[in-house]
Amino acid sequence: MPVSLPPRARLALGAGRAAAAASRLLRRGRGQVVGGRVMLKVDPALITRLAAGKQLTLVSATNGKSTTTRMIAGALRTKGRVAHNLTGANMGPGVVTALAADRAAGFGAIEVDEAHLPAMAAQTGATQLVLMNLTRDQLDRGSEVKMLSRRWHAMAEQLSDKTIILANADDPLVVWAARPAPSVVWVGCGQWWTDDAALCPECGATLERAADGTGIAPWRCPACGLARPQTAWSITPDATGIVTPDGTTLTPHLKLPGRVNVGNAAIAVAAAAGRGIDPAVALAACEQVEDVDGRYINTTVDGHPVRLLLGKNPASWAEMLRIVGTSGAALVTVLNARGQDGRDPSWIWDVPFEQLAPMPVWVSGERRFDLAVRLDTAGLELRGVTEDPLAGLAGLPAGEAVDIVANYTAFQELRARVVK
Amino acid sequence: MNAGQTIAIVHLFPTLMGTYGDGGNLLVLARRAKARGLTPQVVTVGPGDAIPAQGDLYVLGGGEDAGQVAAARYLRQSAGFKQAAEAGACIFAVCAGLQVLGTDFEVAGGAIEPGVGLLDAVTRRREPRAVGEVWAEVLPEAGSAAGLPPLTGYENHGGGTALGPAARPLARVVSGIGNGSGGPAGDGTEGVVQGHVLATYLHGPVLARNPELADRLLSLAAGGATLPDLATPYVADLRQEREAYVRSGKLSADSVRTRR
């Protein structure tokens, strides 16, 4: 049963729903953010009120937070109703909308923006925090990864033992941030992108890493001793299995591609186990996740099987390279640099596109010339440079499969066009 | 320039100083050198590695405070780097790298860190942070950079750099902040030139967006050789599009942002 609410909170819910409906009517969007903003304006304490009595799991990371939240929600759903922000609306307004949407839900699996996690953790009193990775993303906004790590660290210092952190042992920035919390479950999710964690977050010395090519390679600081913690859960070195605390290896058969999603499933299963769900049952739920708000979705455009992939920063694009490099599909890349993308697209030079050379590629989006110079330098064969990402499809043999990798706003627009 | 001539390019501390795609500068240099029949040899120097003294061109990117302080300490202590600078090797730095090559620089919290001292330049914190698109015209008096076409790039720094008499500004901004000392709008200068040391606040990466600057560095590194022209696909489109953007008036609207 949902907790009963004071009049102010009930008024806030009504006003928010009306605003969201108006927004949808005006085709401004799905109304989640607008509605949430109105709710918080009318009752700033609404998040805390709606969170009361729920078993909440907040999930944050630079990459993989939407996917992992979806997996956790799926696993929790085997046990009861789950409040869940479907659209990746992951700041205060999105969180309050998710909580308001299903007040009777006993569980919540909520994705939270990295910079907003400390505030959301405090307001919700969530009993599980899932912390996965911090890598460079939208640097023009000034959210340097070390600063985010420091904010998480300060948050962890304030936590009581009622809140359990599940943290990726393979990202030194996450380990250092989570360590002060009274209760941490370490999960070896894998972290293949190491360029943002060359230095020890504690003392600034250069970290030592075993260069074994796995995402779970041990790392340590030779100066202060900060090191990869002993993990309770971990992916296997080849990222095909998940090792549980009792030593059993589960083999995931995910619908989602790529090794990062095995890591996402590992921490999702660990979080679900913390809610008393059997790991095999939780994993089965993770395996059912097919697309996440259009990411990884398979659709058809003009007779071509098309898969949509999100590549929004160097670490996420680096993982996409592994997926598109072996798929055999024609590759279309799309780059924008609006506010939500980060206005500085220099980061495309941190992506090792050279791995794909001399593959043919189509280049598109508002910043296609930046991307064209990058991909030409990398030795790819540029087949077409057009603003419209779908323009190149007309020149392909009928029925040829296409992978489209786009960054944030480009992805949203494309999804709206091609996913019916 | 001799066919097959080797150009030794030393990439300084990319793990500490390479946050904004500046590693792309090395890819551009190597590619353009190769296209002229030169043989680029890129040596990457990591923390604790000895810096070779025999390089022709040394490249240092931008980074966050901790990496910047660490890189400055390694460079100050390096006998190899000192020897190379004294021998007149070409040195190119971006953003935090520019600050590191100066006399000293201020980091978050107010500490003043000594720089390498190759540029007569002092950096202090500035408010607000300089973030956004830059278009800048290279100054006729910019020494070894004089005569280059306008520079395009993206700046993102919290430091304002004031130049002393031994250093010259590289360019004058048409839009953007640049060196950024002397008040919120800066003094209109961008970058530093002092002998064979060139530095800029621009990312992009700057050599991808400004291939003539890359060629100038290669030329200096090759002992002043003239390089044959080299067309680069899509760079003209990119520069045209960026210039249209900074002149469109959208820039000031996009630049209004609050830090989270």
Side-chain angles (χ1 to χ4, degrees):
Chain A
M1 278 302 290
V3 290
S4 67
L5 293 172
R8 187 187 187 89
R10 291 203 299 271
L11 182 70
L13 287 175
R17 284 186 188 123
S23 169
R24 281 192 295 273
L25 210 60
L26 295 168
R27 297 182 184 278
R28 281 279 168 81
R30 284 178 281 190
Q32 308 229 345
V33 174
V34 174
R37 263 191 215 137
V38 170
M39 287 185 214
L40 291 177
K41 204 94 182 160
V42 177
D43 184 1
L46 193 61
I47 289 178
T48 305
R49 295 191 215 279
L50 295 176
K54 280 196 207 316
Q55 296 190 65
L56 279 187
T57 304
L58 305 186
V59 181
S60 198
T62 305
N63 292 315
K65 54 187 176 288
S66 298
T67 303
T68 305
T69 306
R70 180 68 66 89
M71 289 175 169
I72 293 170
L76 292 173
R77 221 165 266 133
T78 64
K79 227 183 152 185
R81 286 167 68 169
V82 185
H84 172 39
N85 47 350
L86 274 177
T87 59
N90 59 18
M91 302 182 200
V95 172
V96 78
T97 299
L99 294 172
D102 189 353
R103 292 195 41 220
F107 295 106
I110 311 266
E111 163 196 341
V112 181
D113 175 84
E114 306 88 276
H116 290 73
L117 179 68
M120 289 301 110
Q123 288 180 41
T124 59
T127 50
Q128 274 189 345
L129 303 178
V130 174
L131 312 182
M132 293 155 52
N133 55 72
L134 289 171
T135 64
R136 62 190 70 176
D137 184 44
Q138 299 181 36
L139 291 167
D140 63 314
R141 289 196 192 170
S143 297
E144 296 183 344
V145 291
K146 273 117 200 146
M147 187 189 74
L148 292 171
S149 179
R150 283 194 292 270
R151 287 194 197 173
W152 285 11
H153 183 94
M155 167 189 78
E157 287 176 330
Q158 302 301 316
L159 291 176
S160 77
D161 58 3
K162 289 194 185 73
T163 299
I164 293 169
I165 289 186
L166 295 106
N168 182 2
D170 295 308
D171 185 340
L173 290 165
V174 170
V175 169
W176 179 77
R179 219 167 46 133
S183 181
V184 185
V185 175
W186 299 108
V187 182
C189 302
Q191 177 71 0
W192 290 268
W193 178 268
T194 58
D195 286 12
D196 291 302
L199 300 182
C200 175
E202 172 71 26
C203 74
T206 303
L207 292 176
E208 294 174 352
R209 269 191 186 80
D212 62 5
T214 73
I216 56 172
W219 54 267
R220 67 181 296 277
C221 173
C224 74
L226 183 74
R228 182 180 190 271
Q230 188 71 40
T231 53
W233 300 75
S234 180
I235 60 168
T236 55
D238 63 357
T240 59
I242 297 170
V243 185
T244 70
D246 68 11
T248 311
T249 300
L250 304 170
T251 304
H253 298 285
L254 301 175
K255 289 186 176 158
L256 299 178
R259 60 192 181 184
V260 283
N261 282 315
V262 176
N264 293 340
I267 204 162
V269 170
R275 300 299 192 198
I277 297 166
D278 180 76
V281 172
L283 182 59
C286 295
E287 288 172 342
Q288 295 312 307
V289 174
E290 216 164 340
D291 76 271
V292 182
D293 239 17
R295 295 157 206 189
Y296 308 108
I297 203 167
N298 291 292
T299 181
T300 306
V301 180
D302 299 337
H304 296 281
V306 167
R307 178 167 61 169
L308 298 189
L309 300 161
L310 179 70
K312 60 175 180 165
N313 55 43
S316 75
W317 237 116
E319 289 304 319
M320 292 308 135
L321 290 180
R322 297 175 53 85
I323 295 171
V324 301
T326 54
S327 73
L331 175 61
V332 176
T333 56
V334 201
L335 182 71
N336 285 354
R338 298 186 199 168
Q340 284 174 297
D341 301 309
R343 293 196 186 278
D344 178 9
S346 301
W347 60 267
I348 57 176
W349 291 81
D350 289 330
V351 181
F353 285 111
E354 283 74 8
Q355 289 172 14
L356 295 180
M359 188 172 166
V361 64
W362 284 258
V363 182
S364 56
E366 292 163 0
R367 295 301 291 271
R368 60 194 173 280
F369 296 126
D370 291 82
L371 192 53
V373 172
R374 171 69 189 107
L375 297 178
D376 178 61
T377 303
L380 280 77
E381 181 200 337
L382 274 63
R383 288 275 174 87
V385 179
T386 53
E387 180 158 12
D388 182 351
L390 302 179
L393 269 58
L396 289 177
E400 182 165 342
V402 179
D403 281 334
I404 306 182
V405 185
N407 71 330
Y408 193 75
T409 62
F411 186 92
Q412 303 287 358
E413 288 189 358
L414 200 57
R415 182 192 60 192
R417 278 173 72 188
V418 305
V419 180
K420 308 297 182 276
Chain B
M1 186 188 90
N2 308 311
Q5 182 182 346
T6 297
I7 300 282
I9 305 174
V10 182
H11 192 190
L12 296 166
F13 308 115
T15 55
L16 303 176
M17 304 278 278
T19 313
Y20 301 84
D22 295 329
N25 290 328
L26 276 294
L27 300 175
V28 171
L29 286 168
R31 188 178 194 224
R32 297 187 76 79
K34 256 185 232 161
R36 270 60 170 265
L38 300 169
T39 307
Q41 281 183 348
V42 178
V43 178
T44 301
V45 175
D49 297 347
I51 303 175
Q54 306 306 322
D56 299 306
L57 174 57
Y58 294 77
V59 182
L60 184 60
E64 300 179 0
D65 277 359
Q68 181 186 19
V69 169
R73 289 180 185 164
Y74 285 121
L75 288 171
R76 286 200 312 270
Q77 290 160 7
S78 167
F81 189 59
K82 186 163 185 268
Q83 202 181 323
E86 284 169 359
C90 182
I91 300 169
F92 177 64
V94 174
C95 195
L98 175 156
Q99 300 175 359
V100 162
L101 294 188
T103 315
D104 59 33
F105 58 94
E106 181 182 359
V107 293
I112 305 290
E113 186 74 17
V116 186
L118 294 178
L119 295 174
D120 187 7
V122 164
T123 301
R124 295 292 175 265
R125 304 291 291 180
R126 57 163 275 127
E127 284 293 337
R129 195 176 172 88
V131 185
E133 195 75 22
V134 178
W135 187 268
E137 285 168 354
V138 175
L139 292 164
E141 63 271 28
S144 49
L148 290 173
L151 300 176
T152 167
Y154 196 94
E155 65 181 332
N156 188 350
H157 56 102
T161 301
L163 307 189
R168 290 176 185 177
L170 168 63
R172 178 155 295 281
V173 293
V174 174
S175 69
I177 303 294
N179 291 339
S181 74
D187 64 2
T189 67
E190 150 42 39
V192 194
V193 184
Q194 190 167 336
H196 284 187
V197 185
L198 283 81
T200 174
Y201 268 111
L202 304 188
H203 302 284
V206 65
L207 300 185
R209 288 212 208 173
N210 304 278
E212 288 87 351
L213 177 57
D215 286 353
R216 185 64 61 91
L217 297 174
L218 288 172
S219 169
L220 290 168
T226 309
L227 303 179
D229 286 347
L230 176 67
T232 317
Y234 308 106
V235 170
D237 302 291
L238 170 58
R239 290 177 60 87
Q240 205 169 22
E241 185 234 340
R242 291 293 85 202
E243 185 177 10
Y245 173 75
V246 298
R247 296 191 190 280
S248 69
K250 280 187 203 154
L251 179 63
S252 53
D254 286 347
S255 295
V256 177
R257 60 170 65 74
T258 49
R259 276 162 63 77
R260 289 199 277 183

